[in-house]
Amino acid sequence: MRVPACILLSLAALTAAADPPLRLALSAGADGLRTAQDWNIAAESFRARTGVGVEPLLAATGEAILRSLDVREAEAAVLDAAVYLRNRDRLRILGIAVEFGSPYERFLLAAGADSVIHRPEDLSRARLVLASGPGSLPWDLPLAWARRYRGPASGASDPRPEAGYEGVLRSIALDLADAGFLPEGFLEGRKSSALADRVRIVAATPPYPLAVLVARRDLAGDRAALAERLLGLSAGAMELRSPPPDLESVLSDLEEALRASGP
């Protein structure tokens, strides 16, 4: 009985000494269950590659993700680019979170086939629909871009929020809204859908990153190195990639675009 006892003691010691999972905060998105399933699969891939697991922590908003980093519930996060820019002094950027195949995405101004919107200047009378909500890039960037056409005295109603891009596309295609903004890659992936056939593209913003992979600035040593090994991991439609060489310049341009003054 001595040999099995020794084996059991050795296994117990190894388990106790094993590195804890890397805690990664993520947006639950429009389908939190699917997001959780995708990242649990990705966690197994990460464990096979590093010997350490990933513990996905889903949150409803970018602010909730930030809180999880602040109270040290999470060590790294996939964060909306606009939220990152407001908090870049607290975070270290590791890479880009690519969802539609390209590190940078243009937001396209899409209008319904029968909509009155034919040019950006028509936005002053549009029933506008946007994904997410204030404080996020899919909301803040289109409104900053459209501000030159959609003045405070235009009488236009406030944009209506949708939980995700699918909801925005559906609203435009079914004439529940006149126009809205969607990532170019999102529409490219739905070229043959009946809903996409019911929208037309009017204009586009410059391309920017939608989300970035970040870590707490106080994360150091082996845990910081482990967070960097998240690059190359994919979960569902999302892939974590190394930062492009011009990322800092593009982020500075995005920061300026988000500060765009009114007409």
Side-chain angles (χ1 to χ4, degrees):
M1 294 295 294
R2 286 183 179 178
V3 173
C6 290
I7 293 174
L8 289 173
L9 287 171
S10 298
L11 289 174
L14 286 172
T15 301
D19 288 331
L22 184 70
R23 294 158 296 165
L24 178 68
L26 305 150
S27 170
D31 187 348
L33 179 59
R34 174 61 61 86
T35 301
Q37 291 171 339
D38 289 341
W39 279 97
N40 282 329
I41 293 171
E44 290 304 314
S45 172
F46 190 75
R47 184 186 297 277
R49 178 152 57 95
T50 67
V52 179
V54 171
E55 183 181 344
L57 305 174
L58 299 189
T61 66
E63 295 306 316
I65 291 175
L66 283 174
R67 282 195 298 274
S68 70
L69 291 166
D70 287 342
V71 301
R72 291 173 169 69
E73 287 178 353
E75 297 165 285
V78 174
L79 198 59
D80 177 282
V83 177
Y84 165 71
L85 286 173
R86 293 195 299 271
N87 299 274
R88 62 193 308 173
D89 59 324
R90 303 153 59 184
L91 303 167
R92 182 166 65 94
I93 194 164
L94 302 178
I96 290 281
V98 177
E99 192 168 357
F100 304 117
S102 172
Y104 304 142
E105 286 283 336
R106 298 190 302 168
F107 279 99
L108 305 180
L109 173 57
D114 303 318
S115 168
V116 297
I117 307 303
H118 295 279
R119 55 183 188 156
E121 287 79 1
D122 296 330
L123 283 171
S124 61
R125 54 196 175 114
R127 295 174 298 156
L128 195 60
V129 63
L130 297 173
S132 194
S136 67
L137 193 69
W139 185 280
D140 290 357
L141 179 60
L143 284 186
W145 181 88
R147 204 167 283 146
R148 71 195 77 173
Y149 310 109
R150 186 183 168 90
S154 69
S157 60
D158 291 337
R160 179 168 59 79
E162 282 283 351
Y165 299 129
E166 289 284 358
V168 173
L169 176 59
R170 187 180 306 108
S171 289
I172 299 169
L174 300 181
D175 197 30
L176 302 175
D178 296 317
F181 286 81
L182 293 164
E184 185 172 24
F186 173 85
L187 278 178
E188 283 288 325
R190 286 154 182 79
K191 272 185 174 178
S192 59
S193 78
L195 291 177
D197 288 343
R198 294 283 303 158
V199 306
R200 51 190 170 78
I201 305 307
V202 176
T205 73
Y208 297 113
L210 299 184
V212 291
L213 174 67
V214 300
R216 297 196 319 257
R217 281 202 179 272
D218 64 351
L219 193 66
D222 292 344
R223 300 303 285 184
L226 190 62
E228 291 174 1
R229 295 189 67 179
L230 287 165
L231 296 174
L233 196 67
S234 61
M238 182 177 287
E239 181 183 356
L240 304 180
R241 294 187 187 176
S242 297
D246 62 344
L247 177 59
E248 280 303 322
S249 172
V250 172
L251 286 172
S252 294
D253 290 345
L254 174 57
E255 201 165 24
E256 185 63 30
L258 290 168
R259 284 199 299 261
S261 59

